Amino acid sequence: MTGPRYTALAQTLPATVPFVGPEAQERAMAKEFRARLGANENIFGPSPRAIDAMKQASDGIWMYADPESFELRHALAELHGVAAENIVVGEGIDGLLGYLVRLLVEQGDTVVTSEGAYPTFNYHVAGFGGELHKVLYRDDHEDLPALLAKAAEVDAKLVYFANPDNPMGTWISGEAIVAALEALPEGALLVLDEAYVEFAPEGTAPVIDIEDPRVIRMRTFSKAYGMAGARVGYAMGAADLIRNFEKIRNHFGMNRAAQAGALAALHDDEWLNATCEKVVGARAEITRIAAENGLVALPSATNFVAIDCGRDGAYAKAVLDGLVARGVFVRMPFVVPQNRCIRVSCGPRAEMAILAEALPLVLAELG
Amino acid sequence: MTGPRYTALAQTLPATVPFVGPEAQERAMAKEFRARLGANENIFGPSPRAIDAMKQASDGIWMYADPESFELRHALAELHGVAAENIVVGEGIDGLLGYLVRLLVEQGDTVVTSEGAYPTFNYHVAGFGGELHKVLYRDDHEDLPALLAKAAEVDAKLVYFANPDNPMGTWISGEAIVAALEALPEGALLVLDEAYVEFAPEGTAPVIDIEDPRVIRMRTFSKAYGMAGARVGYAMGAADLIRNFEKIRNHFGMNRAAQAGALAALHDDEWLNATCEKVVGARAEITRIAAENGLVALPSATNFVAIDCGRDGAYAKAVLDGLVARGVFVRMPFVVPQNRCIRVSCGPRAEMAILAEALPLVLAELG
């Protein structure tokens, strides 16, 4: 008996995981983290209204979710001043990136991103046989003009750009994006990943006509709305582009309670604003802790801060390992020179205090 | 400005939906259904322990779910007497079928299913460019020997077989499946969709070595466990096959509360057994209601019953429309001759009473 006959592409793919979860690390260490600051989760949590809505919806979990996410899409449309036809809701930005890549990329098609940017996007591109071309960060920023120039050079179908950026937390203005767009080559689609944009200064989100066929924007309830475990993301773009997701998406992929929670979260601006203020405070606190230890925190427009450990990647990795060993879950950038940093999520005072206590011990140990 | 450049395949796909949700019908009618009996949801609902677990997990929804679904996979492995490496958890069977098709099917590859069987499987096959070959039902049963003969004839990579079947509710014994497997051609993988198997008589699930490379089994928490809105399914098969899902799945696609709910549901056998007993009672009740109205209900091993309306598809559709107009959501098979039936989900007395009240009115109206 032989096994199944996989596609030629599937046979070439590695069984890798974009990120190992903190739970796997906890199992390996046989203890729980004291502070979970590695996955850019929002420890301040979602609106209590969202939690209530999820709990109430749990009583009706015997029902499938509305496959059209009708109410949520309409609420999002109202929020953004667009039509519901401009919005598709999916299983987090991760799920939507997978659908988008599937719609556009077949074997050998070219895609452009930054060296060291979001690995899950790369995972999907590889998973559909796309050829990734990577551009270096410039001064710890994703370099949009360089990305667009590369796209022209390699005739890219897709260009990935996150604003604000992950893992560095840096950002550019919406106006700069609009200006740069003029250089987007014909036939390329810009994926603007705005997972963290609610944390960013006014003006970070560009003003772009929703029917502009050159751009698709990705948003999520995982970050500012504090619902990472719910898996609710959405994409906004031209109605024709959004309609194409209907051809391939898992129409019954959404969790019913998550839909209800997201809808309730949208109706609690006060909580969202308060969260963003708390994040500003926590960023300042991380920056202070870094400085107290002779390290420099990068300016951030997200709910995490990249701390420059001042030496090379091996040293930053040693700092990370020391923090992990002390029960502080953090992650770090993958590539030179960004990997001189560790990446720390914002959190309430208790978590920040654990960081403040652990970091000097780790640094002292490393000498 | 031109739009995005879609793949050749994406350009050929229709923007169809495998199923229109009841919510869309409710919006069109501008009223809610009185009885939701069309989607084979389990109206008896999940274990209260599962609901409690989901509510508790909602408080921690700011955290991503464990991407490995470690605890749930290990609990499932224990339940089935296999290794955790033999199980992958995903966003419902729908999500897992999509991943499976993606792993095996590229453009022009052949796949075999039954004419009138689960449309979402067909949706995924079409979505990856597979060529579907369909075999007719025999006496309202999916015809496994004919499916395997067709697979040999067309050199199929995948053969879909649901046991018990949806939409007819019919089934064959596990022993018959094991015997038939001998005729599965080399290089074909049998997808055994067991979404409803917990409702079926002892012996319906075949005894097959988990490392047998010829079969992959799909299970779900949507039916007997009553958690359709949670989106938790799993596939069981040879470790090498299961490992391949790691290459392409959305590792962070699972809802954290859903994971917790599924785990708790697994630990409430009593509830599961009681649900299955209630379903037996409801099947008898639907059969009685049908008979009272001069109609014949088919024997069922699922939580729904196909009622033979005794004439052609147009008549059954008229019966269905009449029920829908009276606030009773039901669905029906798509193809001749199964489309002489309507398909009614089991439910508590209140829902069954609504059916009992509406059906004679509809039939009288139709004459």
Side-chain angles (χ1 to χ4, degrees), chain B:
Chain B
M1 294 186 296
T2 58
R5 289 179 285 173
Y6 300 102
T7 66
L9 175 60
Q11 289 177 48
T12 69
L13 295 174
T16 51
V17 178
F19 294 105
V20 174
E23 292 82 5
Q25 297 182 50
E26 289 176 333
R27 287 188 291 269
M29 301 187 302
K31 66 173 182 186
E32 291 196 357
F33 282 117
R34 298 158 62 209
R36 188 166 156 133
L37 304 173
N40 301 342
E41 295 158 330
N42 176 350
I43 311 174
F44 299 107
S47 159
R49 290 195 216 168
I51 294 179
D52 283 351
M54 286 184 275
K55 288 181 177 179
Q56 278 183 40
S58 297
D59 290 320
I61 207 74
W62 62 269
M63 290 178 275
Y64 286 104
D66 174 15
E68 300 176 25
S69 293
F70 184 91
E71 285 185 72
L72 180 55
R73 278 172 50 243
H74 280 259
L76 288 166
E78 195 180 322
L79 174 69
H80 293 293
V82 301
E85 289 66 35
N86 297 115
I87 294 177
V88 56
V89 169
E91 307 90 339
I93 289 180
D94 284 2
L96 291 163
L97 285 174
Y99 294 137
L100 179 65
V101 171
R102 180 175 162 195
L103 282 172
L104 270 71
V105 176
E106 49 201 324
Q107 289 190 45
D109 282 343
T110 48
V111 177
V112 169
T113 187
S114 303
E115 179 76 75
Y118 194 47
T120 303
F121 178 72
N122 302 358
Y123 169 80
H124 289 308
V125 172
F128 288 101
E131 196 181 282
L132 267 173
H133 294 264
K134 295 180 183 175
V135 164
L136 296 181
Y137 277 58
R138 175 191 291 262
D139 299 334
D140 298 321
H141 288 67
E142 293 189 28
D143 187 347
L144 185 54
L147 288 163
L148 300 185
K150 177 62 79 175
E153 180 194 327
V154 302
D155 190 25
K157 279 183 156 183
L158 266 179
V159 185
Y160 177 88
F161 179 69
N163 192 51
D165 164 71
N166 175 21
M168 302 309 281
T170 52
W171 71 104
I172 64 173
S173 72
E175 283 178 8
I177 294 175
V178 171
L181 257 188
E182 297 308 310
L184 185 76
E186 280 281 318
L189 179 71
L190 180 71
V191 192
L192 181 58
D193 184 341
E194 302 186 307
Y196 298 96
V197 78
E198 293 88 353
F199 298 118
E202 193 75 26
T204 303
V207 177
I208 298 173
D209 186 325
I210 190 70
E211 286 296 338
D212 189 323
R214 300 174 298 174
V215 183
I216 187 166
R217 307 169 80 142
M218 299 282 176
R219 299 285 184 101
T220 184
F221 286 86
S222 298
K223 304 302 179 184
Y225 291 100
M227 292 172 53
R231 311 319 296 131
V232 188
Y234 59 104
M236 295 193 289
D240 185 68
L241 171 55
I242 296 302
R243 198 174 301 118
N244 271 271
F245 284 79
E246 298 304 303
K247 297 177 172 183
I248 58 159
R249 72 182 180 93
N250 182 0
H251 290 268
F252 286 87
M254 293 302 297
N255 179 289
R256 186 178 178 95
Q259 279 181 337
L263 187 62
L266 273 190
H267 292 130
D268 195 349
D269 275 346
E270 208 175 315
W271 183 270
L272 180 67
N273 295 336
T275 297
C276 291
E277 276 174 37
K278 287 178 198 163
V279 164
V280 168
R283 286 198 302 239
E285 177 65 2
I286 295 173
T287 303
R288 194 189 62 72
I289 294 168
E292 266 185 7
N293 288 277
L295 306 181
V296 175
L298 275 63
S300 167
T302 64
N303 72 327
F304 60 86
V305 176
I307 299 178
D308 185 340
C309 294
R311 303 195 204 169
D312 63 2
Y315 181 72
K317 178 63 165 56
V319 174
L320 179 146
D321 288 342
L323 288 171
V324 166
R326 281 175 175 75
V328 183
F329 169 50
V330 295
R331 285 192 178 133
M332 63 182 291
F334 302 107
V335 298
V336 176
Q338 292 93 267
N339 69 354
R340 71 190 189 282
C341 301
I342 58 170
R343 195 193 66 178
V344 181
S345 306
C346 293
R349 276 166 212 269
E351 278 77 8
M352 297 295 96
I354 292 169
L355 175 70
E357 176 207 319
L359 186 58
L361 299 176
V362 171
L363 295 175
E365 202 170 75
L366 292 174

Side-chain angles (χ1 to χ4, degrees), chain A residues 339-351:
Chain A
N339 68 356
R340 71 190 188 282
C341 300
I342 58 170
R343 196 194 65 177
V344 181
S345 306
C346 292
R349 277 165 212 269
E351 277 77 9

Side-chain angles (χ1 to χ4, degrees), chain A residues 90-94 222 227-233 254, chain B residues 64 252-255:
Chain A
E91 306 90 340
I93 288 179
D94 285 2
S222 298
M227 293 172 52
R231 312 317 299 130
V232 188
M254 293 303 298
Chain B
Y64 286 104
F252 286 87
M254 293 302 297
N255 179 289

Side-chain angles (χ1 to χ4, degrees), chain A residues 225-290:
Chain A
Y225 291 99
M227 293 172 52
R231 312 317 299 130
V232 188
Y234 58 104
M236 295 193 288
D240 185 68
L241 170 55
I242 296 302
R243 198 174 302 119
N244 271 272
F245 284 80
E246 299 304 303
K247 298 177 172 182
I248 59 158
R249 72 183 180 91
N250 182 1
H251 289 268
F252 287 86
M254 293 303 298
N255 179 289
R256 187 178 177 94
Q259 279 181 337
L263 187 62
L266 273 189
H267 292 131
D268 195 349
D269 275 346
E270 207 175 316
W271 183 270
L272 179 68
N273 295 335
T275 297
C276 290
E277 276 174 37
K278 287 178 199 163
V279 164
V280 168
R283 286 198 303 240
E285 177 66 3
I286 295 174
T287 303
R288 193 189 61 72
I289 294 168

